[in-house]
Amino acid sequence: MQRRERIETLIPNPASGRGEPASVELPSPTLVGQGPGLRVAAAGNFQVRLGSWDELGEEARRIRLEVFVAEQRVPLELEFDSMDPVSVHALASRPAGAALGTGRLLPDGHIGRIAVTREARGQRVGAALLLSLMEAARQRGHQQVELFAQVYAERFYQRFGFITVGPQFDDAGIAHVTMRASL
């Protein structure tokens, strides 16, 4: 019998515009790959909330500035765009409130802008963000999701069922590949 975990999250309700509590079932390491770093979200370590840019944008912006603009040298004018206000955003944080990572789901099912702070890397934050966004896409009726992965992260996404669908391309001076996963 395979073990599964659950993480509590908030799924935006389009009718009310507010987040509603939901549980996302997270696959065990045997379902997403081998190794100790693949077990997702031990209860109490952090939570993932989903919400609008108005609700989560301040912390998401801070993390994206830290990771993409400062660390990876993505030009500021390329980092924030008109899709932020219309996307579902994910924010991982400690119970005490320290934000650890972020990501977003565009209306067309594209997942992007997944960023984890340096101090939170290796703690399964990226996996929890990705799985929460995939579940949000599933609940919105998407049959598949797509993302542009930095080439070094390609194997990470493969562990969650993503396949590479095209050649490498440059985005903000960083090599990427397009990847898709069925939901």
Side-chain angles (χ1 to χ4, degrees), residues 5-68:
E5 294 183 59
R6 297 186 79 72
I7 185 170
E8 296 301 313
T9 189
L10 295 175
I11 303 290
N13 179 336
S16 69
R18 297 189 171 273
E20 296 183 0
S23 291
V24 176
E25 193 168 275
L26 302 175
S28 70
T30 57
L31 294 178
V32 297
Q34 300 298 317
L38 297 177
R39 208 166 147 262
V40 179
N45 286 344
F46 61 88
Q47 65 177 1
V48 174
R49 292 182 299 138
L50 298 178
S52 70
W53 186 246
D54 287 340
E55 295 168 316
L56 305 177
E58 183 178 335
E59 286 299 315
R61 182 177 177 80
R62 184 188 60 74
I63 292 167
R64 287 166 52 183
L65 284 169
E66 177 184 326
V67 174
F68 295 128

CSV table of all heavy atoms in Angstrom, one decimal, residues 5-68:
chain,number,residue,atom,x,y,z
A,5,GLU,N,0.2,11.7,1.6
A,5,GLU,CA,0.1,12.8,2.6
A,5,GLU,C,-0.9,13.8,2.1
A,5,GLU,O,-1.2,13.9,0.9
A,5,GLU,CB,1.4,13.5,2.8
A,5,GLU,CG,2.5,12.5,3.5
A,5,GLU,CD,3.8,13.3,3.7
A,5,GLU,OE1,3.8,14.3,4.4
A,5,GLU,OE2,4.8,12.8,3.1
A,6,ARG,N,-1.3,14.7,3.0
A,6,ARG,CA,-2.2,15.8,2.6
A,6,ARG,C,-1.6,17.1,3.1
A,6,ARG,O,-1.0,17.1,4.1
A,6,ARG,CB,-3.6,15.6,3.2
A,6,ARG,CG,-4.3,14.3,2.7
A,6,ARG,CD,-5.7,14.2,3.1
A,6,ARG,NE,-6.6,15.0,2.4
A,6,ARG,CZ,-7.0,14.8,1.2
A,6,ARG,NH1,-6.5,13.7,0.5
A,6,ARG,NH2,-7.9,15.5,0.6
A,7,ILE,N,-1.8,18.1,2.3
A,7,ILE,CA,-1.4,19.5,2.8
A,7,ILE,C,-2.7,20.3,2.7
A,7,ILE,O,-3.5,20.2,1.8
A,7,ILE,CB,-0.3,20.0,1.9
A,7,ILE,CG1,0.2,21.4,2.5
A,7,ILE,CG2,-0.7,20.2,0.4
A,7,ILE,CD1,1.5,21.9,1.8
A,8,GLU,N,-2.9,21.2,3.7
A,8,GLU,CA,-4.0,22.1,3.7
A,8,GLU,C,-3.7,23.3,2.9
A,8,GLU,O,-2.6,23.8,3.0
A,8,GLU,CB,-4.3,22.5,5.2
A,8,GLU,CG,-4.8,21.3,6.0
A,8,GLU,CD,-6.0,20.6,5.5
A,8,GLU,OE1,-7.0,21.3,5.1
A,8,GLU,OE2,-6.0,19.4,5.4
A,9,THR,N,-4.6,23.7,2.1
A,9,THR,CA,-4.4,24.9,1.2
A,9,THR,C,-5.7,25.7,1.1
A,9,THR,O,-6.7,25.2,1.6
A,9,THR,CB,-3.9,24.5,-0.2
A,9,THR,OG1,-3.5,25.6,-0.9
A,9,THR,CG2,-4.9,23.7,-0.9
A,10,LEU,N,-5.7,26.8,0.5
A,10,LEU,CA,-6.9,27.6,0.2
A,10,LEU,C,-7.0,27.7,-1.3
A,10,LEU,O,-6.1,28.1,-2.0
A,10,LEU,CB,-6.8,29.0,0.8
A,10,LEU,CG,-6.7,29.1,2.4
A,10,LEU,CD1,-6.5,30.5,2.8
A,10,LEU,CD2,-8.0,28.5,3.0
A,11,ILE,N,-8.2,27.3,-1.8
A,11,ILE,CA,-8.5,27.3,-3.2
A,11,ILE,C,-9.4,28.5,-3.4
A,11,ILE,O,-10.5,28.6,-2.8
A,11,ILE,CB,-9.2,26.0,-3.7
A,11,ILE,CG1,-8.3,24.8,-3.4
A,11,ILE,CG2,-9.5,26.1,-5.2
A,11,ILE,CD1,-7.0,24.7,-4.1
A,12,PRO,N,-9.1,29.4,-4.3
A,12,PRO,CA,-10.0,30.6,-4.6
A,12,PRO,C,-11.3,30.1,-5.2
A,12,PRO,O,-11.3,29.3,-6.1
A,12,PRO,CB,-9.2,31.4,-5.6
A,12,PRO,CG,-7.8,30.9,-5.5
A,12,PRO,CD,-7.8,29.5,-5.1
A,13,ASN,N,-12.4,30.6,-4.7
A,13,ASN,CA,-13.7,30.4,-5.2
A,13,ASN,C,-14.1,31.5,-6.1
A,13,ASN,O,-14.2,32.7,-5.6
A,13,ASN,CB,-14.7,30.3,-4.0
A,13,ASN,CG,-16.1,30.0,-4.5
A,13,ASN,OD1,-16.5,30.3,-5.6
A,13,ASN,ND2,-16.9,29.4,-3.6
A,14,PRO,N,-14.2,31.3,-7.4
A,14,PRO,CA,-14.5,32.4,-8.3
A,14,PRO,C,-15.8,33.1,-8.0
A,14,PRO,O,-15.9,34.3,-8.2
A,14,PRO,CB,-14.6,31.7,-9.7
A,14,PRO,CG,-13.9,30.4,-9.5
A,14,PRO,CD,-14.0,30.0,-8.1
A,15,ALA,N,-16.8,32.4,-7.4
A,15,ALA,CA,-18.1,33.1,-7.1
A,15,ALA,C,-17.9,34.1,-6.0
A,15,ALA,O,-18.4,35.2,-6.0
A,15,ALA,CB,-19.1,32.0,-6.7
A,16,SER,N,-17.2,33.7,-4.9
A,16,SER,CA,-17.1,34.6,-3.8
A,16,SER,C,-15.8,35.5,-3.8
A,16,SER,O,-15.7,36.5,-3.1
A,16,SER,CB,-17.1,33.8,-2.5
A,16,SER,OG,-15.8,33.1,-2.4
A,17,GLY,N,-14.8,35.1,-4.6
A,17,GLY,CA,-13.6,35.8,-4.7
A,17,GLY,C,-12.7,35.5,-3.4
A,17,GLY,O,-11.6,36.1,-3.3
A,18,ARG,N,-13.1,34.6,-2.6
A,18,ARG,CA,-12.3,34.3,-1.3
A,18,ARG,C,-11.8,32.9,-1.4
A,18,ARG,O,-12.3,32.1,-2.1
A,18,ARG,CB,-13.2,34.5,-0.1
A,18,ARG,CG,-13.7,35.8,0.1
A,18,ARG,CD,-14.4,35.9,1.5
A,18,ARG,NE,-14.8,37.2,1.8
A,18,ARG,CZ,-14.0,38.1,2.4
A,18,ARG,NH1,-12.8,37.7,2.8
A,18,ARG,NH2,-14.4,39.3,2.7
A,19,GLY,N,-10.7,32.7,-0.7
A,19,GLY,CA,-10.1,31.4,-0.6
A,19,GLY,C,-10.9,30.5,0.3
A,19,GLY,O,-11.4,31.0,1.4
A,20,GLU,N,-11.1,29.3,-0.1
A,20,GLU,CA,-11.8,28.3,0.8
A,20,GLU,C,-10.9,27.2,1.1
A,20,GLU,O,-10.1,26.7,0.2
A,20,GLU,CB,-13.0,27.8,0.0
A,20,GLU,CG,-14.1,28.9,-0.3
A,20,GLU,CD,-15.3,28.4,-1.0
A,20,GLU,OE1,-15.4,27.2,-1.2
A,20,GLU,OE2,-16.2,29.2,-1.2
A,21,PRO,N,-10.9,26.7,2.3
A,21,PRO,CA,-10.0,25.6,2.7
A,21,PRO,C,-10.2,24.4,1.9
A,21,PRO,O,-11.3,24.0,1.5
A,21,PRO,CB,-10.4,25.3,4.2
A,21,PRO,CG,-11.1,26.6,4.6
A,21,PRO,CD,-11.8,27.1,3.4
A,22,ALA,N,-9.1,23.7,1.5
A,22,ALA,CA,-9.2,22.5,0.8
A,22,ALA,C,-7.9,21.7,1.1
A,22,ALA,O,-6.9,22.2,1.5
A,22,ALA,CB,-9.2,22.8,-0.7
A,23,SER,N,-8.0,20.4,1.0
A,23,SER,CA,-6.9,19.5,1.2
A,23,SER,C,-6.4,19.0,-0.2
A,23,SER,O,-7.2,18.7,-1.0
A,23,SER,CB,-7.2,18.3,2.1
A,23,SER,OG,-7.5,18.7,3.4
A,24,VAL,N,-5.1,19.1,-0.4
A,24,VAL,CA,-4.5,18.6,-1.6
A,24,VAL,C,-3.7,17.3,-1.2
A,24,VAL,O,-2.9,17.3,-0.3
A,24,VAL,CB,-3.5,19.6,-2.2
A,24,VAL,CG1,-2.8,19.0,-3.4
A,24,VAL,CG2,-4.2,20.9,-2.5
A,25,GLU,N,-4.0,16.2,-1.9
A,25,GLU,CA,-3.3,15.0,-1.6
A,25,GLU,C,-2.0,15.0,-2.3
A,25,GLU,O,-1.9,15.3,-3.5
A,25,GLU,CB,-4.2,13.8,-2.1
A,25,GLU,CG,-3.7,12.5,-1.5
A,25,GLU,CD,-4.7,11.4,-1.7
A,25,GLU,OE1,-5.6,11.2,-0.9
A,25,GLU,OE2,-4.5,10.7,-2.7
A,26,LEU,N,-1.0,14.7,-1.6
A,26,LEU,CA,0.4,14.7,-2.1
A,26,LEU,C,0.9,13.3,-2.3
A,26,LEU,O,0.8,12.5,-1.3
A,26,LEU,CB,1.3,15.5,-1.2
A,26,LEU,CG,0.9,17.0,-0.9
A,26,LEU,CD1,1.8,17.6,0.1
A,26,LEU,CD2,0.9,17.7,-2.2
A,27,PRO,N,1.4,13.0,-3.4
A,27,PRO,CA,1.9,11.6,-3.6
A,27,PRO,C,3.1,11.3,-2.7
A,27,PRO,O,3.9,12.2,-2.4
A,27,PRO,CB,2.4,11.6,-5.1
A,27,PRO,CG,1.7,12.8,-5.7
A,27,PRO,CD,1.5,13.8,-4.6
A,28,SER,N,3.3,10.1,-2.4
A,28,SER,CA,4.5,9.7,-1.6
A,28,SER,C,5.7,9.7,-2.5
A,28,SER,O,5.5,9.7,-3.7
A,28,SER,CB,4.2,8.3,-1.0
A,28,SER,OG,4.3,7.3,-2.1
A,29,PRO,N,6.9,9.5,-2.0
A,29,PRO,CA,8.1,9.5,-2.8
A,29,PRO,C,8.1,8.4,-3.9
A,29,PRO,O,8.6,8.6,-4.9
A,29,PRO,CB,9.2,9.3,-1.8
A,29,PRO,CG,8.7,9.7,-0.5
A,29,PRO,CD,7.2,9.5,-0.6
A,30,THR,N,7.4,7.3,-3.6
A,30,THR,CA,7.4,6.3,-4.6
A,30,THR,C,6.6,6.7,-5.8
A,30,THR,O,6.7,6.1,-6.9
A,30,THR,CB,6.8,4.9,-4.0
A,30,THR,OG1,5.5,5.2,-3.5
A,30,THR,CG2,7.7,4.4,-2.9
A,31,LEU,N,5.7,7.6,-5.7
A,31,LEU,CA,4.9,8.1,-6.8
A,31,LEU,C,5.5,9.2,-7.6
A,31,LEU,O,5.3,9.4,-8.8
A,31,LEU,CB,3.5,8.6,-6.4
A,31,LEU,CG,2.6,7.5,-5.8
A,31,LEU,CD1,1.3,8.1,-5.3
A,31,LEU,CD2,2.3,6.4,-6.8
A,32,VAL,N,6.4,10.0,-7.0
A,32,VAL,CA,7.0,11.1,-7.7
A,32,VAL,C,8.5,11.0,-7.9
A,32,VAL,O,9.1,11.8,-8.4
A,32,VAL,CB,6.7,12.4,-6.9
A,32,VAL,CG1,5.2,12.7,-6.9
A,32,VAL,CG2,7.3,12.4,-5.5
A,33,GLY,N,9.1,9.9,-7.4
A,33,GLY,CA,10.5,9.7,-7.6
A,33,GLY,C,11.2,9.1,-6.4
A,33,GLY,O,10.5,9.0,-5.4
A,34,GLN,N,12.4,8.9,-6.5
A,34,GLN,CA,13.2,8.3,-5.4
A,34,GLN,C,14.0,9.4,-4.7
A,34,GLN,O,14.3,10.4,-5.3
A,34,GLN,CB,14.1,7.2,-5.9
A,34,GLN,CG,13.4,6.0,-6.5
A,34,GLN,CD,12.4,5.3,-5.6
A,34,GLN,OE1,12.7,5.1,-4.5
A,34,GLN,NE2,11.2,5.0,-6.1
A,35,GLY,N,14.3,9.1,-3.4
A,35,GLY,CA,15.1,10.0,-2.7
A,35,GLY,C,14.4,10.8,-1.6
A,35,GLY,O,13.2,11.0,-1.6
A,36,PRO,N,15.1,11.1,-0.5
A,36,PRO,CA,14.5,11.7,0.6
A,36,PRO,C,14.0,13.1,0.4
A,36,PRO,O,13.1,13.6,1.1
A,36,PRO,CB,15.6,11.8,1.7
A,36,PRO,CG,16.9,11.7,0.9
A,36,PRO,CD,16.6,10.9,-0.4
A,37,GLY,N,14.5,13.8,-0.6
A,37,GLY,CA,14.0,15.2,-0.9
A,37,GLY,C,12.7,15.3,-1.6
A,37,GLY,O,12.3,16.4,-1.9
A,38,LEU,N,12.1,14.1,-1.9
A,38,LEU,CA,10.8,14.2,-2.7
A,38,LEU,C,9.6,14.1,-1.8
A,38,LEU,O,8.5,14.2,-2.4
A,38,LEU,CB,10.8,13.1,-3.8
A,38,LEU,CG,12.0,13.3,-4.8
A,38,LEU,CD1,11.9,12.1,-5.8
A,38,LEU,CD2,11.8,14.6,-5.5
A,39,ARG,N,9.7,13.7,-0.6
A,39,ARG,CA,8.5,13.7,0.3
A,39,ARG,C,8.1,15.1,0.6
A,39,ARG,O,8.9,15.9,0.9
A,39,ARG,CB,8.9,12.9,1.6
A,39,ARG,CG,7.8,12.2,2.2
A,39,ARG,CD,8.2,11.3,3.2
A,39,ARG,NE,7.2,11.2,4.2
A,39,ARG,CZ,7.2,11.9,5.3
A,39,ARG,NH1,8.2,12.6,5.7
A,39,ARG,NH2,6.2,11.9,6.1
A,40,VAL,N,6.8,15.3,0.4
A,40,VAL,CA,6.3,16.7,0.4
A,40,VAL,C,5.6,17.1,1.7
A,40,VAL,O,4.8,16.3,2.2
A,40,VAL,CB,5.4,16.9,-0.8
A,40,VAL,CG1,4.8,18.3,-0.8
A,40,VAL,CG2,6.1,16.6,-2.1
A,41,ALA,N,5.9,18.3,2.2
A,41,ALA,CA,5.2,19.0,3.2
A,41,ALA,C,4.8,18.2,4.5
A,41,ALA,O,3.7,17.8,4.7
A,41,ALA,CB,4.0,19.6,2.6
A,42,ALA,N,5.8,18.0,5.3
A,42,ALA,CA,5.5,17.5,6.7
A,42,ALA,C,4.6,18.5,7.4
A,42,ALA,O,4.9,19.7,7.3
A,42,ALA,CB,6.8,17.2,7.4
A,43,ALA,N,3.5,18.0,7.9
A,43,ALA,CA,2.6,18.9,8.6
A,43,ALA,C,3.3,19.8,9.7
A,43,ALA,O,4.1,19.3,10.4
A,43,ALA,CB,1.4,18.2,9.2
A,44,GLY,N,3.0,21.0,9.7
A,44,GLY,CA,3.6,21.9,10.7
A,44,GLY,C,4.8,22.6,10.2
A,44,GLY,O,5.2,23.6,10.8
A,45,ASN,N,5.5,22.1,9.2
A,45,ASN,CA,6.7,22.8,8.6
A,45,ASN,C,6.3,24.1,7.9
A,45,ASN,O,7.0,25.1,8.0
A,45,ASN,CB,7.5,21.9,7.7
A,45,ASN,CG,8.2,20.8,8.5
A,45,ASN,OD1,8.4,20.9,9.7
A,45,ASN,ND2,8.7,19.8,7.8
A,46,PHE,N,5.3,24.0,7.0
A,46,PHE,CA,4.9,25.1,6.2
A,46,PHE,C,3.5,24.8,5.7
A,46,PHE,O,3.1,23.7,5.7
A,46,PHE,CB,5.9,25.5,5.1
A,46,PHE,CG,6.1,24.4,4.1
A,46,PHE,CD1,5.3,24.3,3.0
A,46,PHE,CD2,7.1,23.6,4.3
A,46,PHE,CE1,5.5,23.4,2.0
A,46,PHE,CE2,7.4,22.6,3.3
A,46,PHE,CZ,6.6,22.5,2.2
A,47,GLN,N,2.9,25.8,5.2
A,47,GLN,CA,1.6,25.7,4.5
A,47,GLN,C,1.6,26.4,3.2
A,47,GLN,O,2.4,27.3,3.0
A,47,GLN,CB,0.4,26.2,5.3
A,47,GLN,CG,0.5,27.7,5.5
A,47,GLN,CD,-0.7,28.3,6.3
A,47,GLN,OE1,-1.6,27.6,6.7
A,47,GLN,NE2,-0.7,29.6,6.4
A,48,VAL,N,0.8,25.9,2.3
A,48,VAL,CA,0.7,26.6,1.0
A,48,VAL,C,-0.7,27.2,0.9
A,48,VAL,O,-1.7,26.5,1.1
A,48,VAL,CB,0.9,25.6,-0.2
A,48,VAL,CG1,0.6,26.3,-1.5
A,48,VAL,CG2,2.3,25.1,-0.2
A,49,ARG,N,-0.8,28.5,0.6
A,49,ARG,CA,-2.1,29.1,0.4
A,49,ARG,C,-2.2,29.6,-1.0
A,49,ARG,O,-1.2,30.0,-1.6
A,49,ARG,CB,-2.2,30.4,1.3
A,49,ARG,CG,-2.3,30.1,2.8
A,49,ARG,CD,-2.4,31.4,3.6
A,49,ARG,NE,-1.3,32.2,3.4
A,49,ARG,CZ,-1.3,33.5,3.3
A,49,ARG,NH1,-2.5,34.2,3.3
A,49,ARG,NH2,-0.2,34.3,3.1
A,50,LEU,N,-3.4,29.5,-1.6
A,50,LEU,CA,-3.6,30.0,-2.9
A,50,LEU,C,-4.5,31.2,-2.8
A,50,LEU,O,-5.5,31.2,-2.0
A,50,LEU,CB,-4.3,28.9,-3.8
A,50,LEU,CG,-3.5,27.6,-4.0
A,50,LEU,CD1,-4.3,26.6,-4.9
A,50,LEU,CD2,-2.2,27.9,-4.8
A,51,GLY,N,-4.3,32.2,-3.7
A,51,GLY,CA,-5.1,33.3,-3.6
A,51,GLY,C,-4.8,34.3,-4.8
A,51,GLY,O,-4.0,34.0,-5.7
A,52,SER,N,-5.4,35.5,-4.7
A,52,SER,CA,-5.2,36.5,-5.8
A,52,SER,C,-3.9,37.2,-5.5
A,52,SER,O,-3.3,37.2,-4.5
A,52,SER,CB,-6.4,37.4,-5.8
A,52,SER,OG,-6.3,38.2,-4.6
A,53,TRP,N,-3.5,38.1,-6.5
A,53,TRP,CA,-2.4,38.9,-6.4
A,53,TRP,C,-2.6,40.0,-5.3
A,53,TRP,O,-1.7,40.3,-4.6
A,53,TRP,CB,-2.1,39.6,-7.8
A,53,TRP,CG,-0.9,40.5,-7.8
A,53,TRP,CD1,-0.9,41.8,-8.0
A,53,TRP,CD2,0.5,40.0,-7.7
A,53,TRP,NE1,0.5,42.2,-8.0
A,53,TRP,CE2,1.3,41.2,-7.8
A,53,TRP,CE3,1.1,38.8,-7.6
A,53,TRP,CZ2,2.7,41.1,-7.8
A,53,TRP,CZ3,2.4,38.7,-7.5
A,53,TRP,CH2,3.2,39.9,-7.6
A,54,ASP,N,-3.9,40.4,-5.2
A,54,ASP,CA,-4.2,41.4,-4.1
A,54,ASP,C,-4.0,40.8,-2.7
A,54,ASP,O,-3.5,41.4,-1.8
A,54,ASP,CB,-5.7,41.8,-4.2
A,54,ASP,CG,-5.9,42.8,-5.3
A,54,ASP,OD1,-5.0,43.4,-5.8
A,54,ASP,OD2,-7.1,42.9,-5.8
A,55,GLU,N,-4.3,39.5,-2.6
A,55,GLU,CA,-4.1,38.8,-1.3
A,55,GLU,C,-2.6,38.4,-1.0
A,55,GLU,O,-2.2,38.5,0.1
A,55,GLU,CB,-5.0,37.5,-1.3
A,55,GLU,CG,-6.4,37.8,-1.3
A,55,GLU,CD,-7.2,36.5,-1.6
A,55,GLU,OE1,-6.8,35.7,-2.4
A,55,GLU,OE2,-8.3,36.4,-0.9
A,56,LEU,N,-1.9,37.9,-2.0
A,56,LEU,CA,-0.6,37.3,-1.8
A,56,LEU,C,0.5,38.0,-2.5
A,56,LEU,O,1.7,37.7,-2.4
A,56,LEU,CB,-0.6,35.9,-2.3
A,56,LEU,CG,-1.7,35.0,-1.6
A,56,LEU,CD1,-1.6,33.6,-2.2
A,56,LEU,CD2,-1.5,34.9,-0.1
A,57,GLY,N,0.2,39.1,-3.3
A,57,GLY,CA,1.2,39.7,-4.1
A,57,GLY,C,2.3,40.4,-3.4
A,57,GLY,O,3.5,40.4,-3.9
A,58,GLU,N,2.1,40.9,-2.3
A,58,GLU,CA,3.2,41.6,-1.5
A,58,GLU,C,4.3,40.6,-1.2
A,58,GLU,O,5.5,40.9,-1.5
A,58,GLU,CB,2.7,42.3,-0.3
A,58,GLU,CG,3.7,43.0,0.5
A,58,GLU,CD,3.2,43.7,1.7
A,58,GLU,OE1,2.0,44.0,1.8
A,58,GLU,OE2,4.0,44.0,2.6
A,59,GLU,N,4.0,39.5,-0.7
A,59,GLU,CA,5.0,38.5,-0.3
A,59,GLU,C,5.6,37.8,-1.6
A,59,GLU,O,6.8,37.5,-1.7
A,59,GLU,CB,4.5,37.4,0.6
A,59,GLU,CG,4.3,38.0,2.0
A,59,GLU,CD,5.7,38.4,2.6
A,59,GLU,OE1,6.7,37.7,2.5
A,59,GLU,OE2,5.7,39.5,3.2
A,60,ALA,N,4.7,37.5,-2.6
A,60,ALA,CA,5.1,36.9,-3.8
A,60,ALA,C,6.1,37.8,-4.5
A,60,ALA,O,7.2,37.3,-5.0
A,60,ALA,CB,3.9,36.6,-4.7
A,61,ARG,N,5.8,39.1,-4.6
A,61,ARG,CA,6.7,40.0,-5.2
A,61,ARG,C,8.1,40.1,-4.5
A,61,ARG,O,9.1,40.1,-5.2
A,61,ARG,CB,6.1,41.4,-5.2
A,61,ARG,CG,6.9,42.5,-5.8
A,61,ARG,CD,6.1,43.8,-5.8
A,61,ARG,NE,6.9,44.9,-6.4
A,61,ARG,CZ,7.1,45.1,-7.7
A,61,ARG,NH1,6.5,44.3,-8.6
A,61,ARG,NH2,7.8,46.1,-8.1
A,62,ARG,N,8.1,40.1,-3.2
A,62,ARG,CA,9.4,40.1,-2.5
A,62,ARG,C,10.2,38.9,-2.8
A,62,ARG,O,11.4,39.0,-3.0
A,62,ARG,CB,9.1,40.1,-0.9
A,62,ARG,CG,10.4,40.2,-0.1
A,62,ARG,CD,10.1,40.1,1.4
A,62,ARG,NE,9.5,38.8,1.7
A,62,ARG,CZ,10.2,37.7,1.8
A,62,ARG,NH1,11.5,37.6,1.4
A,62,ARG,NH2,9.6,36.5,2.1
A,63,ILE,N,9.6,37.7,-2.8
A,63,ILE,CA,10.3,36.5,-3.1
A,63,ILE,C,10.8,36.5,-4.6
A,63,ILE,O,12.0,36.1,-4.9
A,63,ILE,CB,9.4,35.2,-2.9
A,63,ILE,CG1,9.2,35.1,-1.4
A,63,ILE,CG2,10.1,33.9,-3.4
A,63,ILE,CD1,8.1,34.1,-1.0
A,64,ARG,N,10.0,36.9,-5.5
A,64,ARG,CA,10.4,36.9,-6.9
A,64,ARG,C,11.5,37.9,-7.1
A,64,ARG,O,12.4,37.7,-7.9
A,64,ARG,CB,9.2,37.2,-7.8
A,64,ARG,CG,8.3,35.9,-7.9
A,64,ARG,CD,7.0,36.2,-8.5
A,64,ARG,NE,7.0,36.9,-9.8
A,64,ARG,CZ,5.8,37.2,-10.4
A,64,ARG,NH1,4.6,37.0,-9.9
A,64,ARG,NH2,5.9,37.9,-11.5
A,65,LEU,N,11.5,39.1,-6.4
A,65,LEU,CA,12.6,40.0,-6.5
A,65,LEU,C,13.9,39.4,-6.0
A,65,LEU,O,15.0,39.6,-6.6
A,65,LEU,CB,12.3,41.3,-5.7
A,65,LEU,CG,11.3,42.3,-6.4
A,65,LEU,CD1,10.8,43.3,-5.4
A,65,LEU,CD2,11.9,42.9,-7.6
A,66,GLU,N,13.8,38.7,-4.9
A,66,GLU,CA,15.0,38.1,-4.3
A,66,GLU,C,15.6,37.0,-5.2
A,66,GLU,O,16.8,37.0,-5.5
A,66,GLU,CB,14.6,37.5,-2.9
A,66,GLU,CG,15.7,36.7,-2.2
A,66,GLU,CD,15.2,36.1,-0.9
A,66,GLU,OE1,14.3,36.7,-0.3
A,66,GLU,OE2,15.7,35.0,-0.6
A,67,VAL,N,14.7,36.1,-5.7
A,67,VAL,CA,15.2,34.9,-6.4
A,67,VAL,C,15.5,35.3,-7.9
A,67,VAL,O,16.6,35.0,-8.4
A,67,VAL,CB,14.2,33.8,-6.3
A,67,VAL,CG1,14.6,32.6,-7.3
A,67,VAL,CG2,14.0,33.3,-4.9
A,68,PHE,N,14.5,35.8,-8.6
A,68,PHE,CA,14.7,36.1,-10.0
A,68,PHE,C,15.5,37.3,-10.3
A,68,PHE,O,16.5,37.2,-11.1
A,68,PHE,CB,13.4,36.1,-10.7
A,68,PHE,CG,12.6,34.8,-10.7
A,68,PHE,CD1,11.3,34.8,-10.3
A,68,PHE,CD2,13.2,33.6,-11.1
A,68,PHE,CE1,10.6,33.6,-10.2
A,68,PHE,CE2,12.5,32.4,-11.0
A,68,PHE,CZ,11.2,32.4,-10.6
